[in-house]
Amino acid sequence: MQQPVIEEGAAYEPSIRSYDDLFPALPESATAVQNVNNAMGQWNNKMRVGSSIVTQVFRVPFEERKLDHSEKFGEGESMTTCLNIMKDTGAHIEISSSKDQSLTFLVTGKQNEVLEARRKILTHFQTQANKQISIPKEHHRWILGKKGERLKDLEKITATKISVPSMNDNSDIITITGTKEGIEKAEHEIRITSDEQSKKAFERIVVPKIYHPFIVGAYNENLNAMINETGARINVPPPSVMKDEIVIAGEKEGVLAAKAKIEAIHKEMEKRCTTVSVEVPKSQHKYVIGPRGGTIAEILQLTGVSVEMPPGDSATGTITLRGPHDKLGIALSKVYEKANSVCATDVEAPSWIHKYIIGRKGANIKEITQHLPKVHIEFTDKEDRIKIEGPPEEVEKAKEQIEAKARELVSKLVFVEINVDPRFYKHIIGKNGANVNRLKDETGVQINIDESGLIRLEGNKPEVQKVKQELEEMVFKLENEKEKDVIIDQRHYKNIIGTKGDNIKEIREKFNQVQINFPGPGDKRDVVKIRGPKEDVDKCHKYLVKLVKELNESSYQVEVPIYKKFHKFIIGKGGANIRKIREETQTKIDLPAEGDKNDVITITGKKENVEDAKEKIRKIQDELENIITDEITIPPKFYNSIIGTGGKLIRSIMEDCGGVAIKFPSAESKSDKVTIRGPKDDVERAKQQLLELTNERQLSSFTAEVRAKPQHHKFLIGKNGANIKKIRDSTGARIVFPNNSDEDRELITIIGKKEAVEQAKSILQRAIKDIDNIIESEMTVEPRHHKHFVARRGEQLHRISDECGGVMISFPRSGVQSDKVVLKGAKDCIDAAKARIQEIIGNLESMVTIECIIPQKHHRTVMGAKGHKVQGITADFDVQIKFPDRDNTKEYYNHDGQVNGDINTEPIRQCDVICITGKDQNCQKAKQALLDLVPITIDVEVPFELHRSIIGQKGQDVKRLMDTYDVHIVLSPAHEKQDLIKITGTPVNVERAKVAVQERVGQLEDERKDRELRSFYIEIDVNPDYHPKIIGKKGAVISKIRADNDVQITFPKKGDPDEQKITITGYEQNVYKAKEDIMKIVNELNELVKEEITIDSRVHSRLIGARGRNIRKIMDEYKVDIKFPRSDDPDPNLVIITGSEDGVLEVKDHLLMLEEEYLQDVAEQELRESFRGSFNSSSDSNNSRKSEGNGFVVQGGPWEQRAPNTASVTEFPSFGGSRVEEPPQPAPVSGAWGPRR
């Protein structure tokens, strides 16, 4: 670095720099600004599938815009609405505002998405969607009709949605939503209905439709004038309603006056009017009509001529002008002027270049239309033309620009279509569209892939040909590929892939043309797919199959139980033994962890190697302890019972016998030898236990056989096995019946101990003998009673069968006219069953049916949830209860004289009559039980001010009452403030709830009285200086007074006017006790002496000590209170002592003595400081002389910071004490090591 040159003789001045200039603080991190990209504009960068995209551009003129959008456009509301529509429909919308405040929308998407988006846009941004009309409330029911049918018919006819306010709503506004024409029709019909129902005068005048415009006038001027002048309501059918009738309603005089005026206008125009017809193309009619018919109204206002347009569905283009003869010419000129003010034309352009004419985000089309705001341009993918509409001169300019753009694009761009098998799409597209996006970025060619198998390329010719060639090569390569599956067990994946994928990488390098795909982590399949050129795939498949075979061979696994205590010897010192076995046998050997109680060692590898390793490990165990192998003979039929459920029994034997290994032969070996291996003593113990178990099983395996006919087996077994279970429980023997596959179907086997088997055999033989006596009998039962026995899946018959020894009872099938009932069973059982059936029939014949009248509105309450209340009554009184059809509202004549509520109630209907069938006495009881369930409502007097307490927080208390007593409780509305609560429910529940409410009211009254007693308070005057003493340290004193006397004590805030008043609130006697406690403290404080002394503020901190330790010690020793001055006190040396007279005098002497001692230390410190200051000043002068030759000086560094002053109260403040005001010092510069002290 070049050194600066100093002129000879020039005065040298050293460069003095600030520390903060040389070492500035690090700048604070600025808030990162996030660039938010519009994701909707990136659709061109992504692959588009298919070519069914439609783009539409349309306008919403200012006069048709909703007012609530006109002021807020661009502030976010319009954009939010469009974003919501985009989210709902999937179409892309761009919105712009023209100078005339009209809105232009560019909508792109699929055909159905664009149509739905356009509909929603018009709904949000246009005003002709709905209309509100005011109709008197009393007329609404006539508009609705019976059950709302008239309103439904009107909605169907006019294709509108009409919203009529509910009966509870006081509003008279009816809202009509739909098309403009439909709204006009609906409003007309509603107003006619309303006028007809009006009690005022009503007139209908028939005036030909052609004269209605003259009566209404331009912009309804004549009609409004007549309405204002006469006060009558005049309803003229709108142009879309082809009726001649004009309806007038209102005050009689006003109606007659309006009628006279309308008839006068009609007669006058009938005399003066002539007509002229003019042909105007149908497409130009909308320009003659104008927005909301504004142009027609304008012509009528200017010329007095009515313009009659043909219906919208008519093919004719004839427009009729009607009015005074001298005005027809002017009107005709106006019609032609308006018709030709807008024209439409088409531009021929292939549909595939439309998107290029529109441009990215509509940039190109916006550039064309921004200076032509009245032009409307529409694109569709299905047509090779573009529609342009607007003023002639602007349309011509737009057409020229679009034609020029189209010619330029057609000459520059081409498109090519390639047919490709759709199964190759995923390979052509690539992962996340990598291949297609790469081609797009490199060439700029648009690639559209259709689901039908067509790929369309669009762009400049050279680039399109390049992309086509590359895609064709890719497809050719894919067509010559094949795919194969390799079945590989998932446990081998780890070995095939290798650590960090090293193995699979090696395989892929070996077969570099082949793709090998393993299933994902969540996929449990064992299929690995390989794809690539045919020859390479075959080679790779062969290699993988061979690899899997080797892995299968080397993954044979066996588990060897070895006593845990021998594991350390098998491992050897430093793992020498286990390592040697692994190396010699080429196997994998896994031992259980040190804390694991499992003693099984797992060996994995080739089968012969695994067996070799197994023998080596067992040999080590045998050498360490006397391990023997013994065999005992056990019949195979006892194996299952000895092993036990889930092997529990045999495991317990092995654990009891030192963990010996017991192995049973396999079922295929047909051997009866059981092997026991382990230490000799343990093997003997296990052998002994197994032999004892075998003998026990042999003793309990005595068998006997009994024969019985197969058809009788079900009687022996009984229903759900009841009979056979009874025999097993009483004898302990096991009884085995033959199944359908057995050859001998009569043989029944009994297994168990000899005595049990003999006993069970005897019982079975007696039962078989009884069954052999089974007979078949018949009895007669009238068909009218059959239903009772077979109802509910034969529940009654099953009950009789169980009661009568399992006798079988068969009633005739449904539809068979017979009274014969067949019974099968033992003779005694049949007789008992017959008697029981006759008894039931007798009861049925003695049954009666009575009626219980309960209003239908209470039936649901009476039945209860899922009918549980009625089911309970049915079961309790053994009756049947039938509720009527709720829709049967015919009048019912009460013959039995039951009073249904009040005398003046409505007549009884058939849907109110409940039928009860059963014994007369039971029916009466059931009837009374039903009547008891009919809800009643009672009033309970409860003061309104207690209602809130009964409701409880969030209604919890009243809900608990309703749930507990199954009632409904209604409290008085807040504006009525009634002292009543209504309780609805069954009489019993209502009475219980009433008692509960009254008890709650009593509690609330007691609580209110208690609150009144607790609200007694007094105020006492206490010197504010005593307040801290009364409160005590951390409120200890005052808290004790509050707790002891159960009162609230409130102290005033400092500076309050009544600063000396203390308020005590609570029970009267407690309040006075608390007052006594406080006054006792006050009296003690009054006896104390206060004295002020002057102590130099420089020694205050020494007197106070660290955290006030010194001063607290002094105060405790002398039983006084010492207060040092605050920083803002006028006298910083004034100290106040409070306490007993002796204590104050003693501590005063003590403090003054300490002051004298500490002041000597302060004087010495100040002397040292003065010497240090003079020394520093001399050093500074020497340093300044030495630095004259230096060229660089740094000021304000950390090394220049002065040492802290331990005597300074500012730098070492005391808690609770005062601090000495020190002269202000200049703020030090903050350096890298923090602020300087």
Side-chain angles (χ1 to χ4, degrees):
M1 180 177 176
Q2 187 178 0
Q3 297 293 330
V5 178
I6 302 175
E7 294 182 12
E8 187 177 351
Y12 172 74
E13 294 183 2
S15 175
I16 300 175
R17 303 290 299 277
S18 164
Y19 180 84
D20 287 335
D21 291 338
L22 295 171
F23 302 100
L26 292 174
E28 295 182 1
S29 58
T31 306
V33 179
Q34 298 177 353
N35 296 322
V36 180
N37 294 324
N38 186 357
M40 300 303 297
Q42 296 179 356
W43 57 274
N44 276 329
N45 293 335
K46 297 181 181 177
M47 181 197 68
R48 293 186 297 146
V49 178
S51 58
S52 57
I53 303 300
V54 175
T55 301
Q56 279 195 17
V57 180
F58 59 92
R59 294 173 62 247
V60 175
F62 171 69
E63 58 271 13
E64 295 182 16
R65 281 178 57 185
K66 282 188 180 179
L67 293 177
D68 57 347
H69 282 276
S70 62
E71 296 296 331
K72 297 178 182 178
F73 178 77
E75 295 178 7
E77 188 169 323
S78 300
M79 289 305 298
T80 302
T81 303
C82 288
L83 286 172
N84 290 335
I85 295 172
M86 285 195 284
K87 186 177 178 182
D88 293 341
T89 63
H92 177 68
I93 303 169
E94 294 188 19
I95 180 173
S96 62
S97 177
S98 303
K99 292 179 181 178
D100 62 354
Q101 296 189 28
S102 64
L103 299 181
T104 303
F105 295 90
L106 178 79
V107 187
T108 306
K110 292 184 179 179
Q111 185 74 24
N112 58 337
E113 295 174 349
V114 170
L115 292 175
E116 178 65 14
R118 179 175 179 137
R119 185 186 69 78
K120 287 181 177 286
I121 288 169
L122 295 178
T123 301
H124 284 86
F125 289 91
Q126 284 189 326
T127 56
Q128 60 269 40
N130 58 62
K131 186 172 183 180
Q132 291 185 336
I133 57 175
S134 178
I135 301 294
K137 188 75 176 176
E138 58 270 16
H139 296 172
H140 287 191
R141 62 193 183 100
W142 301 102
I143 294 166
L144 290 167
K146 188 176 181 181
K147 295 183 179 180
E149 290 177 359
R150 186 168 185 178
L151 182 67
K152 291 176 185 175
D153 292 340
L154 183 59
E155 287 180 336
K156 287 179 183 177
I157 293 167
T158 60
T160 58
K161 175 66 179 173
I162 304 170
S163 300
V164 180
S166 63
M167 294 295 291
N168 299 329
D169 193 347
N170 294 325
S171 173
D172 61 354
I173 299 298
I174 294 178
T175 304
I176 310 170
T177 305
T179 62
K180 182 180 178 183
E181 182 179 345
I183 290 172
E184 289 175 348
K185 288 180 181 178
E187 182 184 3
H188 176 68
E189 293 296 332
I190 289 171
R191 290 198 182 280
I192 287 174
T193 304
S194 176
D195 292 341
E196 285 176 350
Q197 298 305 322
S198 177
K199 296 179 181 178
K200 299 178 182 179
F202 184 85
E203 288 283 348
R204 292 178 184 270
I205 311 172
V206 178
V207 176
K209 183 77 177 174
I210 56 177
Y211 298 115
H212 285 191
F214 303 106
I215 294 167
V216 174
Y219 303 110
N220 292 333
E221 289 173 351
N222 294 352
L223 184 64
N224 292 336
M226 277 191 282
I227 290 171
N228 293 333
E229 186 178 340
T230 64
R233 295 196 303 274
I234 304 171
N235 192 349
V236 180
S240 57
V241 179
M242 303 308 294
K243 285 187 177 181
D244 296 336
E245 205 172 55
I246 296 175
V247 179
I248 311 171
E251 297 293 337
K252 191 172 182 180
E253 292 179 1
V255 169
L256 292 174
K259 180 181 178 182
K261 285 179 178 291
I262 291 171
E263 288 175 342
I265 294 170
H266 172 213
K267 288 176 183 177
E268 182 186 356
M269 297 313 297
E270 202 172 22
K271 291 177 183 178
R272 296 180 57 197
C273 281
T274 57
T275 60
V276 65
S277 297
V278 58
E279 288 293 329
V280 176
K282 190 77 175 177
S283 60
Q284 295 179 328
H285 283 198
K286 57 186 176 182
Y287 310 124
V288 176
I289 297 169
R292 301 182 187 178
T295 304
I296 291 176
E298 182 185 344
I299 294 171
L300 179 62
Q301 188 180 41
L302 292 173
T303 64
V305 174
S306 167
V307 181
E308 298 172 8
M309 306 298 297
D313 53 357
S314 173
T316 181
T318 305
I319 297 174
T320 303
L321 306 181
R322 187 182 308 276
H325 184 269
D326 56 335
K327 300 290 185 180
L328 287 176
I330 302 171
L332 187 62
S333 300
K334 282 284 182 184
V335 168
Y336 276 123
E337 179 188 337
K338 296 295 181 182
N340 295 323
S341 64
V342 177
C343 69
T345 187
D346 294 338
V347 175
E348 296 296 327
S351 59
W352 66 274
I353 68 166
H354 287 185
K355 58 179 172 288
Y356 300 104
I357 294 173
I358 295 168
R360 184 179 175 85
K361 297 185 181 181
N364 296 345
I365 202 69
K366 282 180 183 176
E367 187 178 342
I368 294 171
T369 59
Q370 65 180 350
H371 300 301
L372 308 171
K374 296 182 180 179
V375 172
H376 175 71
I377 303 172
E378 186 174 344
F379 297 83
T380 60
D381 279 356
K382 294 181 180 179
E383 297 181 2
D384 290 336
R385 59 196 179 93
I386 302 168
K387 297 177 183 178
I388 309 173
E389 195 176 272
E393 58 278 5
E394 292 190 8
V395 166
E396 194 60 35
K397 291 179 183 177
K399 182 179 179 182
E400 289 175 5
Q401 293 183 44
I402 291 174
E403 282 180 341
K405 189 72 174 174
R407 285 195 299 272
E408 179 190 348
L409 291 169
V410 168
S411 65
K412 189 169 66 172
L413 302 178
V414 295
F415 75 89
V416 173
E417 293 179 344
I418 309 171
N419 287 312
V420 177
D421 192 331
R423 63 195 173 92
F424 298 146
Y425 280 177
K426 62 180 180 180
H427 305 289
I428 293 171
I429 293 168
K431 190 174 183 181
N432 296 326
N435 294 345
V436 170
N437 289 333
R438 177 181 59 81
L439 291 173
K440 283 182 180 180
D441 295 341
E442 289 177 359
T443 63
V445 173
Q446 285 291 328
I447 305 172
N448 297 325
I449 302 177
D450 196 282
E451 294 175 359
S452 62
L454 193 69
I455 298 179
R456 184 185 177 96
L457 310 177
E458 298 174 2
N460 294 326
K461 190 171 182 179
E463 284 79 7
V464 168
Q465 290 300 325
K466 181 181 176 183
V467 173
K468 179 185 176 185
Q469 182 180 351
E470 188 168 341
L471 289 178
E472 285 176 343
E473 289 174 0
M474 195 183 297
V475 170
F476 177 76
K477 184 179 176 183
L478 290 168
E479 286 174 344
N480 289 311
E481 285 185 347
K482 70 181 290 188
E483 187 175 84
K484 264 193 173 185
D485 294 343
V486 187
I487 306 301
I488 302 175
D489 197 328
Q490 285 214 350
R491 62 195 174 94
H492 296 321
Y493 287 176
K494 187 177 179 181
N495 294 325
I496 294 172
I497 295 169
T499 308
K500 296 183 180 179
D502 291 340
N503 297 351
I504 195 67
K505 186 178 178 183
E506 187 179 331
I507 296 170
R508 283 176 174 151
E509 287 175 355
K510 188 173 183 179
F511 304 99
N512 55 6
Q513 297 297 316
V514 177
Q515 294 179 8
I516 305 172
N517 295 319
F518 288 84
D523 195 344
K524 300 300 181 184
R525 292 181 301 163
D526 296 333
V527 179
V528 176
K529 293 186 178 294
I530 53 176
R531 181 183 178 84
K534 294 179 181 178
E535 292 182 5
D536 292 342
V537 167
D538 291 337
K539 289 179 183 177
C540 183
H541 181 268
K542 189 176 179 181
Y543 177 83
L544 287 175
V545 168
K546 183 181 176 183
L547 181 62
V548 170
K549 187 178 178 182
E550 291 175 358
L551 288 170
N552 285 333
E553 288 176 355
S554 62
S555 61
Y556 176 76
Q557 195 174 80
V558 71
E559 292 182 345
V560 185
I562 300 294
Y563 293 106
K564 193 79 174 179
K565 60 184 178 180
F566 297 139
H567 284 197
K568 60 184 178 181
F569 300 105
I570 290 167
I571 295 169
K573 190 174 182 181
N577 294 349
I578 198 72
R579 188 162 52 248
K580 183 180 178 184
I581 296 170
R582 284 171 177 160
E583 290 171 355
E584 289 177 355
T585 61
Q586 294 297 309
T587 56
K588 181 184 176 186
I589 303 172
D590 296 321
L591 286 88
E594 206 172 310
D596 194 347
K597 293 181 179 180
N598 184 21
D599 59 359
V600 174
I601 296 174
T602 306
I603 310 172
T604 308
K606 290 185 177 180
K607 187 173 182 180
E608 57 272 17
N609 295 346
V610 168
E611 292 298 333
D612 187 17
K614 177 181 172 183
E615 288 304 318
K616 287 179 181 291
I617 289 172
R618 279 194 168 174
K619 188 177 178 183
I620 294 172
Q621 181 180 237
D622 294 347
E623 289 173 355
L624 290 167
E625 190 168 331
N626 185 18
I627 302 297
I628 64 167
T629 302
D630 200 354
E631 291 181 347
I632 59 171
T633 303
I634 298 175
K637 63 181 179 179
F638 300 137
Y639 285 176
N640 286 342
S641 61
I642 291 173
I643 292 170
T645 307
K648 289 182 179 177
L649 182 56
I650 199 67
R651 275 204 302 274
S652 68
I653 294 172
M654 289 192 288
E655 289 172 3
D656 290 345
C657 299
V660 296
I662 301 173
K663 186 178 180 183
F664 288 82
S666 61
E668 297 80 14
S669 66
K670 296 182 179 180
S671 171
D672 58 357
K673 302 293 183 185
V674 177
T675 306
I676 310 170
R677 177 181 171 80
K680 187 175 181 180
D681 295 340
D682 293 339
V683 168
E684 287 298 326
R685 278 197 294 149
K687 184 177 177 181
Q688 188 64 32
Q689 287 194 30
L690 286 174
L691 289 173
E692 287 173 2
L693 271 175
T694 305
N695 293 334
E696 186 181 329
R697 296 294 185 272
Q698 285 176 339
L699 287 173
S700 61
S701 61
F702 181 81
T703 59
E705 295 176 349
V706 177
R707 289 187 171 275
K709 294 177 182 179
Q711 59 267 32
H712 293 170
H713 287 187
K714 59 184 176 181
F715 298 106
L716 293 172
I717 294 169
K719 187 178 180 182
N720 295 327
N723 296 345
I724 209 69
K725 186 181 178 187
K726 189 176 178 183
I727 297 171
R728 284 175 181 166
D729 293 344
S730 62
T731 64
R734 184 181 175 196
I735 303 169
V736 181
F737 283 83
N739 54 35
N740 294 333
S741 61
D742 289 338
E743 293 179 3
D744 192 349
R745 297 286 307 281
E746 293 185 355
L747 188 65
I748 300 170
T749 307
I750 309 169
I751 305 169
K753 293 183 179 180
K754 187 174 181 180
E755 299 82 6
V757 169
E758 292 294 341
Q759 186 183 356
K761 182 178 179 181
S762 174
I763 295 170
L764 276 176
Q765 285 174 338
R766 285 199 304 272
I768 292 166
K769 187 177 180 181
D770 292 340
I771 290 169
D772 288 338
N773 294 327
I774 285 176
I775 62 170
E776 184 175 306
S777 179
E778 291 183 353
M779 67 178 295
T780 302
V781 177
E782 291 184 26
R784 63 193 175 96
H785 297 316
H786 289 191
K787 185 177 179 182
H788 176 77
F789 289 97
V790 299
R792 297 178 185 171
R793 299 183 180 178
E795 180 182 340
Q796 188 69 40
L797 289 179
H798 292 315
R799 193 180 298 123
I800 296 170
S801 179
D802 293 342
E803 292 172 359
C804 302
V807 65
M808 293 178 62
I809 307 169
S810 299
F811 275 74
R813 291 194 306 274
S814 178
V816 177
Q817 294 297 321
S818 173
D819 59 357
K820 300 296 182 186
V821 177
V822 179
L823 297 90
K824 289 182 183 179
K827 189 174 183 304
D828 296 340
C829 296
I830 288 176
D831 292 340
K834 283 182 178 180
R836 179 63 182 137
I837 291 172
Q838 291 294 349
E839 182 187 349
I840 292 170
I841 291 170
N843 291 337
L844 290 172
E845 289 177 346
S846 67
M847 282 187 180
V848 296
T849 299
I850 66 171
E851 295 171 346
C852 177
I853 299 170
I854 296 174
Q856 198 274 332
K857 62 183 179 180
H858 298 316
H859 286 189
R860 179 176 291 181
T861 306
V862 170
M863 285 190 283
K866 297 183 180 179
H868 78 278
K869 293 181 181 177
V870 169
Q871 289 169 7
I873 295 172
T874 304
D876 292 343
F877 302 107
D878 192 20
V879 295
Q880 293 181 356
I881 301 173
K882 183 180 180 183
F883 281 79
D885 184 0
R886 62 184 298 177
D887 296 327
N888 189 359
T889 56
K890 293 180 181 178
E891 190 171 349
Y892 176 76
Y893 299 97
N894 188 7
H895 297 292
D896 61 0
Q898 179 188 332
V899 178
N900 182 24
D902 298 333
I903 297 171
N904 297 324
T905 55
E906 295 180 0
I908 298 170
R909 302 167 300 169
Q910 292 187 13
C911 61
D912 298 334
V913 181
I914 301 170
C915 295
I916 309 170
T917 303
K919 290 184 179 180
D920 185 49
Q921 187 178 0
N922 292 352
C923 288
Q924 293 299 332
K925 292 178 180 177
K927 178 180 177 180
Q928 188 57 46
L930 285 175
L931 291 172
D932 290 342
L933 292 175
V934 176
I936 62 169
T937 301
I938 65 168
D939 293 339
V940 181
E941 287 193 12
V942 177
F944 179 75
E945 59 269 16
L946 299 181
H947 285 197
R948 180 177 292 179
S949 302
I950 288 174
I951 293 170
Q953 189 176 10
K954 296 183 180 179
Q956 288 179 355
D957 293 351
V958 75
K959 189 174 184 299
R960 191 181 303 112
L961 279 172
M962 290 194 287
D963 293 343
T964 304
Y965 300 105
D966 192 18
V967 294
H968 182 66
I969 300 175
V970 179
L971 292 94
S972 168
H975 62 278
E976 293 182 9
K977 296 186 178 180
Q978 295 180 355
D979 293 337
L980 290 176
I981 289 179
K982 294 183 182 295
I983 305 177
T984 304
T986 61
V988 176
N989 291 348
V990 165
E991 193 58 36
R992 291 169 57 216
K994 177 182 176 182
V995 172
V997 169
Q998 288 174 339
E999 288 177 356
R1000 179 62 179 150
V1001 169
Q1003 291 175 4
L1004 293 171
E1005 289 288 354
D1006 293 342
E1007 289 174 4
R1008 183 173 60 79
K1009 290 176 182 176
D1010 185 64
R1011 281 197 300 274
E1012 289 176 359
L1013 292 173
R1014 290 179 67 92
S1015 61
F1016 178 79
Y1017 74 95
I1018 62 171
E1019 293 179 346
I1020 56 176
D1021 291 340
V1022 177
N1023 189 337
D1025 294 340
Y1026 295 163
H1027 289 187
K1029 292 294 182 182
I1030 295 170
I1031 294 169
K1033 188 176 181 181
K1034 295 183 180 179
V1037 177
I1038 200 66
S1039 296
K1040 188 174 186 307
I1041 296 172
R1042 285 172 177 156
D1044 291 347
N1045 300 291
D1046 189 21
V1047 294
Q1048 289 295 324
I1049 302 172
T1050 308
F1051 287 84
K1053 292 183 180 178
K1054 190 173 182 180
D1056 281 357
D1058 296 330
E1059 192 177 1
Q1060 75 283 1
K1061 291 189 180 297
I1062 298 176
T1063 306
I1064 309 172
T1065 308
Y1067 293 117
E1068 186 175 358
Q1069 57 185 5
N1070 294 353
V1071 166
Y1072 284 112
K1073 286 181 182 178
K1075 178 184 176 182
E1076 290 176 6
D1077 292 344
I1078 292 173
M1079 294 311 296
K1080 185 178 179 181
I1081 296 171
V1082 171
N1083 292 334
E1084 290 176 357
L1085 292 172
N1086 285 333
E1087 294 174 359
L1088 297 179
V1089 176
K1090 181 193 290 185
E1091 184 166 347
E1092 296 177 352
I1093 62 172
T1094 300
I1095 297 177
D1096 196 311
S1097 60
R1098 290 177 294 173
V1099 300
H1100 285 189
S1101 58
R1102 291 283 300 277
L1103 291 172
I1104 294 168
R1107 299 187 178 182
R1109 191 178 292 116
N1110 295 350
I1111 201 66
R1112 274 201 305 275
K1113 186 178 178 183
I1114 294 169
M1115 288 192 293
D1116 292 342
E1117 184 179 347
Y1118 293 97
K1119 308 297 181 188
V1120 295
D1121 182 51
I1122 303 171
K1123 284 188 179 180
F1124 285 85
R1126 298 177 182 273
S1127 57
D1128 54 353
D1129 285 352
D1131 188 354
N1133 302 322
L1134 185 66
V1135 177
I1136 300 170
I1137 307 170
T1138 307
S1140 63
E1141 187 175 356
D1142 294 341
V1144 168
L1145 292 174
E1146 289 176 5
V1147 81
K1148 176 183 175 182
D1149 295 339
H1150 181 68
L1151 289 176
L1152 292 173
M1153 185 173 63
L1154 288 174
E1155 178 195 19
E1156 186 179 349
E1157 180 183 339
Y1158 293 158
L1159 280 174
Q1160 292 177 4
D1161 296 339
V1162 170
E1164 291 176 3
Q1165 178 68 21
E1166 289 175 349
L1167 184 61
R1168 283 197 296 270
E1169 287 291 332
S1170 62
F1171 281 120
R1172 187 185 301 169
S1174 61
F1175 175 75
N1176 287 341
S1177 60
S1178 62
S1179 298
D1180 290 343
S1181 61
N1182 291 333
N1183 289 337
S1184 62
R1185 285 193 296 272
K1186 290 177 183 178
S1187 62
E1188 287 178 0
N1190 296 338
F1192 190 79
V1193 178
V1194 178
Q1195 290 185 349
W1199 51 85
E1200 294 183 1
Q1201 297 180 18
R1202 67 179 180 80
N1205 183 8
T1206 55
S1208 172
V1209 180
T1210 304
E1211 296 184 7
F1212 291 89
S1214 60
F1215 289 88
S1218 63
R1219 57 186 181 86
V1220 180
E1221 294 282 344
E1222 292 190 353
Q1225 298 178 359
V1229 181
S1230 177
W1233 287 273
R1236 298 181 184 83
R1237 295 174 294 186

